[in-house]
Amino acid sequence: MRFDALRRKVGQLEDVKDSQHNGNAKRADLKASAILMSNSIRTNTKKRTGHVPGVEIGDIFFFRMEMCLVGLHAQSMAGIDYLIVRGDREEEPLATSIVSSGYYDNAADDTDILIYSGHGEASDQKLVRGNLALERSLQKGNEVRVIRGLKDANSPTTKIYVYDGLYTIQESWVEKAKTGCNIFKYKIVRMSGQPGAFSVWKSVAQWKESVSSRVGLILHDLTLAAETIPVALVNDVDGERGPTCFTYLASVRYSKSFKLSHQTSFGCNCRNACQSGDENCACMTKNGGQTPYIGNGVLVCRKPLVYECGPTCPCTANCKNRVSQTGLKVHLEVFKTKDRGWGLRSWDPIRAGTFICIYAGEATNKAISGEVGDSGDYVFDTTRVYDSFRWNCEPGNEEYDMPYPLVISAKNVGNVARFMNHSCEPNTFWQPVVYENNSETYLNVAFFAMRHIPPMTELTYDYGTPRADVPGGSNGHGRMRCLCGSTRCKGYFV
DNA sequence: GGCTACTCATGCGG
DNA sequence: CCCGCATGAGTAGC
């Protein structure tokens, strides 16, 4: 419950941040947090040592302010956070959490040990504030949360913070820094029995360097270069050598009968990259005047339909409105799960709203005539996007004309999306996207991250409930016992 | 309660 | 791509 509340808040943060982005805002993160702070939309405001409810080991954050809002680390800039313990005679500080930005001593191979420097740079460090708190925590032996700050390999200017669980402080000493000043050093050691977080990142970095170091590797690239990024096939669970045979296809193959007669032509005439708010851009106008995407393929909010610029739109190739047509951007792997067949997960961290993949396969609209229902078909009920769930949805904007569901069969041909399993508490969702090519309108289903997804976390979506009035709406699978393990599990899925 | 110092943030421009 | 710079905001401590 509380976890969900946290997620809503982070979602709100993202939402506000995004709307700020659409304007002329710099530092949208700070504006978003200011809005949330002033409205008391935050959790765990009382400082505590040990875990923070709602935050799990491995959770990732893209801004320091995100960690302030959830109470993981209340300092907006400082690396050491602490609380004041009122003892019998005097008050003393006790460290609660530290952010290791990785500027110092990151060479250490052991991911369970952190050598941390005290704060203060210009002169000899003094044993006050955070430094004193670390010293007291060393004496008391209390648990200290550690957040690892890492460079994002895909975007060198941004930083990602990983909650690496609880550590205790083992030693402290004074050292001469390069500047000639004395600085405090602390040896901080990870408590045993915790699931991997930072160590997972280290492993992934190793696999990227040399894919053969990946244990259980079956195929380096199951797409056979159909995608621009290789997708590894991995099984470190049992002896199965791969999923049943299929042909990899990166895009949707439309059957001859498939026609979106209800969509009128809409392409733009822009000569540059399309701009949010440009009234002359037909694609933007269709999207309600604002770009549906910000940054690097990040969807601002879920909509009944997103109108992308298509291959025949004259705008430049770097137009930000072609997200779902540009292929995979995150480094994925297909892996054998313990009890749910093959699944999909990512080597890269995924920011909330990020485009992951489309659902490729053979598209028909034959559901109307009741001829589908084969195993491997997936019915995307594009007529009821909002019924399955909402994700930062824009209210209103119901101008939408899609009288039948989209049926895509990935039984014989398909892409990575065919491996995504169901969850009642999913971390991705699907979004209908259309674009135009030679005055023909094409409908796609694209998957986006619902929240920040740490590396090596299985990607899932909600398969939804069948429509009684749509033949084939049972998805051909019938009722399946759900193994998603969520506390909100509905027990079965279609 | 107000004020200020402190701080391993950020994004942007050069 | 790396650096410097302006701007920044929560918290502790007075």
Side-chain angles (χ1 to χ4, degrees), chain A residues 254-260 363-365 404 406 441-443:
Chain A
Y254 296 91
S255 72
K256 287 193 184 102
S257 68
F258 189 84
K259 193 134 181 80
L260 282 171
T364 67
N365 54 8
Y404 45 79
L406 174 65
T441 301
Y442 292 91
L443 176 62

Side-chain angles (χ1 to χ4, degrees), chain A residues 111 150-151 153 197-214 331 346-349 455-456:
Chain A
T111 54
L150 303 162
K151 277 198 177 118
F198 179 52
S199 59
V200 172
W201 288 66
K202 284 261 178 180
S203 302
V204 169
Q206 210 170 52
W207 305 335
K208 283 189 170 179
E209 227 166 76
S210 148
V211 73
S212 55
S213 64
R214 177 77 175 101
H331 200 136
S346 169
W347 288 8
D348 296 327
M456 300 302 284

